[in-house]
Amino acid sequence: MAENVLHATPLFQGIPKGDLALMLSCLSATRREFPRSATIVEEGDLVPNIAILLSGTARSLKTDSAGKQVIVTLIKPGGYIGILLAASHGRASPVTVQALENLAVLFIPMQNILTRCDCPHHTKLLSNLLDAVAEKALLLHDRNDCLIRPTIRDKVLTFLLEFAHKAGSHSFTIPMGRDAMAGYLDVDRSALSRELSWMKRDGLIDYKRNWFNLRI
Amino acid sequence: MAENVLHATPLFQGIPKGDLALMLSCLSATRREFPRSATIVEEGDLVPNIAILLSGTARSLKTDSAGKQVIVTLIKPGGYIGILLAASHGRASPVTVQALENLAVLFIPMQNILTRCDCPHHTKLLSNLLDAVAEKALLLHDRNDCLIRPTIRDKVLTFLLEFAHKAGSHSFTIPMGRDAMAGYLDVDRSALSRELSWMKRDGLIDYKRNWFNLRI
DNA sequence: AGAAGTCCGTTGCACGTGCAACCGCATACT
DNA sequence: AGTATGCGGTTGCACGTGCAACGGACTTCT
């Protein structure tokens, strides 16, 4: 079961299923379990391992200057914990990662990924790792692109154009509801609904629930 | 001269100066020149090479939905062009990179970095590359952290706390002026000045120009 | 010294948007 | 069928902030 999740994870893509177990032992990957509401990474920790979530869900959150807790991301099976921190040298974690349910996590020491060993597909693994880190960065870049727009309308247009670009069509469905969309764009949900209807009124877009159509 | 810039660049840190030339030829690095206002990367391009700016300055910009051009970053000698795109597989560039002056650029095919060759310090190079990509991602993360705060005061506090954390002190100097700070936080400069003086009035911070002191 | 430029702070005003509350419409469950 | 729940749209209001314009402190150049 663990292997199924791993094989679907981008880090091990392109690596034959039969070679996975060999690679994992070569990399000294270790499996650990965490009970519900345990802390996997604490704010300020150094992270020498890549962690892959095998089962359960976790969340990363940051403590505000006022002590308020801000949820940053939700991590699902197949997702990474601290991949950026492990890839970077000596960066302290800006977030705390908590288990929302009982977790099974696979740890892989970053050092073992960097140091070439004799097991097969190591080049592929490195390439995948680099790809995963770069992809994370590009996703952050995409969100920044939306966040820096001055008005909600601009944010929404940037957001939708990115989806249209990926879909290769003016018409597409987004994989989230209004709440998540508002959270991503960092705007109030009702303000987002208001602006969306104004944009429809102005003939910029058409939409119904999660389906959108750009008329630009 | 090119080697001086390269040796200072994070990608080649920890690699003895004497071995650099050998590595570059092993990696098939090629040097190219660009005249002022030339385009190095176009929006939508695929980027198979890491590019390191040897001399001159460049900027990356993005064309708005309204056709307006938004400046994203400024690139100085020793800086990278398209490192995230080269590290990611098949991602099209979201930005255009333009030469602001005459440029000298060093191109290194990403494939040659990934595929282990016999030249020394290749592991170090890979580690450095991963580190550079992760660092870029973490910088984007830090900025996101500021951008998602609801008010200017929250943004400023997050921004300053990050600096205080890095400096290890409540008192520090930031390497940018009000314009750049306002740009980073994506707020109006005058609104930033206003909020800063209110925060001083409220006893939260003290400051003078680029010097700040947190009293929290 | 005078002029011009740069950087930063101040302020009046208007507009965008966060906030709260409410409603309509689905789907799911008993 | 009736109720509960979740999601999305609507609206009045107040407040934060973008915007524009101006002034002061400081630097640079002629």
Side-chain angles (χ1 to χ4, degrees):
Chain A
M1 167 210 147
E3 262 79 11
N4 287 337
V5 173
L6 288 181
H7 192 257
T9 223
L11 193 56
F12 292 106
Q13 221 148 58
I15 292 175
K17 236 170 183 165
D19 297 335
L20 241 180
L22 173 63
M23 285 200 75
L24 291 181
S25 87
C26 166
L27 291 168
S28 304
T30 56
R31 181 192 166 106
R32 263 188 75 189
E33 319 247 337
F34 292 89
R36 191 173 176 285
S37 79
T39 301
I40 294 93
V41 178
E42 193 115 24
E43 205 169 327
D45 280 359
L46 291 177
V47 181
N49 305 309
I50 289 185
I52 303 176
L53 195 51
L54 297 175
S55 66
T57 58
R59 68 170 176 193
S60 69
L61 47 84
K62 196 182 153 111
T63 308
D64 201 286
S65 61
K68 230 188 322 179
Q69 291 192 331
V70 183
I71 300 174
V72 181
T73 51
L74 203 67
I75 306 167
K76 286 181 282 192
Y80 309 115
I81 297 173
I83 187 172
L84 294 182
L85 299 165
S88 135
H89 286 143
R91 252 275 203 159
S93 175
V95 296
T96 296
V97 180
Q98 273 182 348
L100 292 175
E101 320 164 32
N102 291 344
L103 299 187
V105 179
L106 188 77
F107 286 99
I108 305 176
M110 177 58 79
Q111 194 53 49
N112 295 353
I113 298 184
L114 286 174
T115 308
R116 177 72 52 106
C117 69
D118 295 332
C119 74
H121 316 299
H122 205 128
T123 298
K124 182 65 179 166
L125 177 67
L126 266 168
S127 165
N128 284 347
L129 173 61
L130 201 59
D131 193 86
V133 175
E135 185 60 27
K136 272 233 171 194
L138 288 167
L139 287 178
L140 286 167
H141 178 92
D142 287 344
R143 189 173 177 204
N144 264 354
D145 240 30
C146 293
L147 292 178
I148 62 170
R149 307 290 161 176
T151 65
I152 294 187
R153 179 169 296 210
D154 288 326
K155 289 180 207 240
V156 169
L157 278 178
T158 307
F159 176 79
L160 293 178
L161 278 171
E162 182 65 25
F163 268 100
H165 186 73
K166 278 181 190 157
S169 161
H170 287 237
S171 178
F172 51 88
T173 304
I174 66 172
M176 57 177 100
R178 285 291 174 278
D179 272 312
M181 184 174 170
Y184 183 86
L185 298 178
D186 191 39
V187 297
D188 183 73
R189 186 192 57 78
S190 70
L192 173 59
S193 276
R194 173 172 46 200
E195 190 62 40
L196 281 173
S197 54
W198 285 348
M199 290 169 75
K200 185 193 276 191
R201 177 201 64 191
D202 295 344
L204 274 175
I205 62 173
D206 192 18
Y207 69 94
K208 182 180 250 180
R209 295 255 168 178
N210 297 354
W211 171 85
F212 288 87
N213 188 22
L214 295 187
R215 338 226 287 202
I216 311 184
Chain B
M1 165 207 150
E3 262 79 11
N4 287 337
V5 174
L6 288 181
H7 192 256
T9 222
L11 193 56
F12 293 106
Q13 224 149 55
I15 292 175
K17 236 171 181 163
D19 296 335
L20 241 180
L22 174 64
M23 284 200 76
L24 291 180
S25 88
C26 167
L27 291 167
S28 304
T30 56
R31 181 192 167 105
R32 262 187 77 187
E33 318 248 336
F34 291 89
R36 188 172 178 285
S37 79
T39 300
I40 294 93
V41 177
E42 192 115 25
E43 206 170 326
D45 280 0
L46 292 178
V47 181
N49 305 308
I50 287 185
I52 302 175
L53 195 50
L54 297 175
S55 67
T57 58
R59 68 171 177 192
S60 67
L61 47 86
K62 194 180 153 110
T63 308
D64 199 287
S65 61
K68 230 187 322 179
Q69 292 192 331
V70 182
I71 299 174
V72 181
T73 52
L74 203 68
I75 306 166
K76 286 182 281 192
Y80 308 116
I81 298 173
I83 187 172
L84 293 183
L85 299 165
S88 135
H89 286 144
R91 253 275 203 160
S93 174
V95 296
T96 298
V97 180
Q98 272 182 349
L100 292 175
E101 320 165 30
N102 290 344
L103 299 186
V105 179
L106 188 77
F107 287 98
I108 305 177
M110 177 58 79
Q111 194 53 48
N112 295 352
I113 298 183
L114 286 175
T115 309
R116 176 71 53 104
C117 68
D118 295 330
C119 74
H121 314 298
H122 205 129
T123 298
K124 182 66 180 164
L125 178 67
L126 265 168
S127 165
N128 283 347
L129 173 61
L130 201 60
D131 193 86
V133 174
E135 185 59 28
K136 272 233 170 194
L138 288 167
L139 288 178
L140 286 167
H141 178 92
D142 287 343
R143 190 175 177 203
N144 265 356
D145 241 29
C146 294
L147 292 178
I148 62 171
R149 308 291 160 174
T151 65
I152 293 186
R153 180 169 295 212
D154 289 326
K155 288 179 208 238
V156 169
L157 278 179
T158 307
F159 176 79
L160 292 179
L161 278 171
E162 181 65 25
F163 268 101
H165 186 73
K166 278 182 191 158
S169 162
H170 286 235
S171 178
F172 50 89
T173 304
I174 65 172
M176 57 177 99
R178 286 289 174 281
D179 273 311
M181 184 175 170
Y184 182 86
L185 298 177
D186 192 38
V187 297
D188 184 73
R189 186 193 56 79
S190 70
L192 173 60
S193 275
R194 174 172 46 200
E195 190 63 40
L196 281 173
S197 52
W198 285 348
M199 290 169 76
K200 185 193 278 189
R201 177 201 64 189
D202 296 345
L204 274 175
I205 62 173
D206 193 18
Y207 69 95
K208 183 180 248 179
R209 294 257 168 178
N210 297 354
W211 172 85
F212 287 87
N213 188 23
L214 294 187
R215 338 226 286 204
I216 310 186

